[in-house]
Amino acid sequence: MAQRREVLTALGLGAVGAHLHPQVFSLCGAFQKKNKTPKKPNIVFILADDLGWSDLSCYGGRFYETPNLDDFAQTGVRFTDAYASCPVCSPTRASVMTGKYPARFNITDWIPGMKAKNRKLITPQDLQELPLDEVTFAERLKESGYKTFFAGKWHLGGEGFYPQDQGFDINKGGYHKGGPRGGYYSPYKNPALDDGPDGEYLTDRLTDESIKFMEANKNTPFVLCLSFYTVHTPIQACNRHHLKFPKKKAEKMHGEDKSPFRRERRGVTKMRQDNPSYASMVHAMDENIGRLLAKLEKLGLDDNTAVIFTSDNGSLSTRAATNAPTSNLPLRAGKGWCYEGGIRVPAIMRLPGVTKPNSTCRAPITSTDFYPTFLDLAGLPQNPKQHADGLSLIPLFDKKVKTLARNAIYWHYPHYHGSTWTPGAAIRYGDWKLIEFYEEGEAELYNLASDIGESKDLSDAYP
């Protein structure tokens, strides 16, 4: 831990306001008008699990219902080209925490990963936890006076590597498992979350804990990370809504594709959003986000709180058999794949005084960018040596800025996955997307501006 303290000291955490973007001063100014005593803005970061780009109505989904997130998008900015830094969960979550690509800290697969047997390629031996010498955004903000809270899925290591070991004052439900071991109803079988009454719904409980934290810390700057387990398997209907979606006629609600499934190399991709249990889970998550935002307003904190919503990877639509729960159309494939369906995710931000209501941003962004954005919001100096691959999103809210100052975004997924993905990688450069498949030694090239579904390989035309 001595090494940790030396690093934090070297970061100069007391230097508030150094090298801030002009939009940040606008943000702080807007907040201070509401407060006689200047106060740092609160940060609420909501991370869904396995929620696809097309799972929200405001992103074109027509079977699921997400009225609260749709309304939230009307109050902030909706990113059309937001990406997870990996098509599976643990690497993306570590990237959010550190501002680095997964390969930098050797977590390139979900923990513990799938053991590849009798395969053509030998895959990397990943770490099984986020190293403690990584300085997370929670540690930076805690050192500057923020109260830090985490609820929900962690999946970045076992005991000794839990959220409370990585900068969070409070941890409700974050441990080493990637899914809800006891399912979505109490008893949860979760060592970091006390059981509630029999039948209590996990998504409700995590929101309840988050609301209690806000009520107890309404007079202190806080960072709240609500990391839903929803909609990770097992797919279990929310009892409140289990009768709602079977009545909907899915064939009239989704897409133009005539067939219900499509071959995807060695797998099968679902072409319909028609699972009522999955729909009820999405709806329950949306309902709880509405509760959280309403509580912010009731506490008088909404004008002093930055709220960010996104997902850790695309939804589960491609598998070895025809048993995937959802579809990512018009995007190709899903979780586990470096096609757009596996890595492009919803992202909505509301920064009072900075973001324009009901606006859209088409600049490509990725998971690494949240860390430096949080630093800007908190009035802390950037530290590129730590968040080496992330860039603050604040400049994008200047009308003159169209994209962030970097050449490309990269994905490195050298593993086999249950979705039938084989080791590979991808690069997005402008509108161009290159995907490499290591087993075959092949590369595919797409222009996303004209082909968001990655249906026309241009590698021969543009060698």
Side-chain angles (χ1 to χ4, degrees), residues 264-279:
E264 193 66 79
R265 289 182 169 253
R266 303 173 189 177
V268 183
T269 294
K270 188 171 183 176
M271 309 299 284
R272 293 283 187 273
Q273 291 183 343
D274 60 7
N275 186 316
S277 295
Y278 186 95

Side-chain angles (χ1 to χ4, degrees), residues 7-311:
V7 171
L8 293 173
T9 301
L11 293 176
L13 295 179
V16 176
H19 309 295
L20 296 184
H21 296 288
Q23 290 83 0
V24 177
F25 286 116
S26 173
L27 178 67
C28 295
F31 291 160
Q32 288 175 15
K33 288 179 182 178
K34 296 282 184 178
N35 298 279
K36 294 180 180 180
T37 302
K39 180 183 174 185
K40 293 180 179 181
N42 306 309
I43 298 172
V44 172
F45 181 70
I46 306 169
L47 183 64
D49 191 8
D50 290 0
L51 187 79
W53 188 78
S54 304
D55 283 347
L56 304 187
S57 303
C58 58
Y59 279 86
R62 287 184 277 173
F63 184 65
Y64 313 134
E65 297 179 12
T66 54
N68 291 291
L69 281 166
D70 299 341
D71 288 346
F72 175 53
Q74 294 287 316
T75 68
V77 57
R78 181 175 63 87
F79 289 87
T80 62
D81 293 49
Y83 290 97
S85 62
C86 189
V88 294
C89 51
S90 297
T92 295
R93 291 165 182 274
S95 282
V96 170
M97 289 293 154
T98 64
K100 295 177 179 177
Y101 283 132
R104 288 195 188 272
F105 41 77
N106 197 30
I107 301 177
T108 52
D109 200 6
W110 61 277
I111 297 171
M114 187 178 79
K115 306 305 179 185
K117 296 181 180 179
N118 301 317
R119 299 285 194 166
K120 183 177 180 179
L121 300 178
I122 297 173
T123 56
Q125 297 298 308
D126 272 14
L127 294 180
Q128 297 298 294
E129 62 279 317
L130 181 64
L132 294 179
D133 59 3
E134 292 289 343
V135 181
T136 68
F137 74 78
E139 290 173 299
R140 289 289 312 272
L141 295 172
K142 182 177 178 177
E143 290 287 330
S144 70
Y146 275 79
K147 189 76 172 177
T148 55
F149 173 89
F150 186 92
K153 175 172 174 174
W154 178 245
H155 205 189
L156 292 174
E159 280 194 60
F161 298 89
Y162 280 178
Q164 60 267 35
D165 304 303
Q166 298 281 17
F168 290 97
D169 294 310
I170 301 171
N171 169 32
K172 297 291 184 177
Y175 72 128
H176 67 284
K177 291 290 186 180
R181 186 170 60 175
Y184 282 90
Y185 292 91
S186 183
Y188 301 119
K189 299 181 181 179
N190 184 327
L193 186 68
D194 294 335
D195 290 331
D198 285 352
E200 180 186 64
Y201 191 56
L202 179 59
T203 308
D204 298 344
R205 171 65 179 281
L206 296 176
T207 307
D208 289 343
E209 296 289 354
S210 299
I211 287 173
K212 290 177 185 176
F213 170 79
M214 292 195 305
E215 291 174 333
N217 294 277
K218 61 184 179 181
N219 297 318
T220 304
F222 63 76
V223 177
L224 187 158
C225 291
L226 175 52
S227 179
F228 287 115
Y229 282 93
T230 307
V231 282
H232 196 285
T233 54
I235 304 303
Q236 289 182 300
C238 174
N239 289 336
R240 288 194 302 278
H241 308 302
H242 77 284
L243 296 178
K244 179 180 180 64
F245 293 95
K247 298 177 182 179
K248 298 189 75 168
K249 294 182 179 180
E251 68 274 10
K252 293 184 178 181
M253 300 297 292
H254 182 79
E256 306 300 330
D257 199 283
K258 302 296 182 183
S259 65
F261 302 99
R262 180 175 67 191
R263 294 299 306 178
E264 193 66 79
R265 289 182 169 253
R266 303 173 189 177
V268 183
T269 294
K270 188 171 183 176
M271 309 299 284
R272 293 283 187 273
Q273 291 183 343
D274 60 7
N275 186 316
S277 295
Y278 186 95
S280 73
M281 294 173 73
V282 173
H283 195 60
M285 181 195 68
D286 177 83
E287 186 177 54
N288 276 285
I289 290 172
R291 284 206 300 134
L292 189 75
L293 296 177
K295 178 58 69 171
L296 272 175
E297 183 175 358
K298 185 175 181 180
L299 293 173
L301 299 176
D302 52 322
D303 286 339
N304 191 46
T305 303
V307 183
I308 301 95
F309 171 84
T310 191
S311 179

Side-chain angles (χ1 to χ4, degrees), residues 419-451:
S419 64
T420 71
W421 167 264
T422 57
I427 301 173
R428 175 165 175 174
Y429 179 84
D431 290 328
W432 292 98
K433 170 92 172 287
L434 184 75
I435 307 174
E436 184 177 3
F437 295 89
Y438 295 160
E439 273 200 0
E440 296 84 356
E442 297 174 353
E444 298 174 357
L445 180 69
Y446 300 98
N447 189 294
L448 298 177
S450 58
D451 182 21

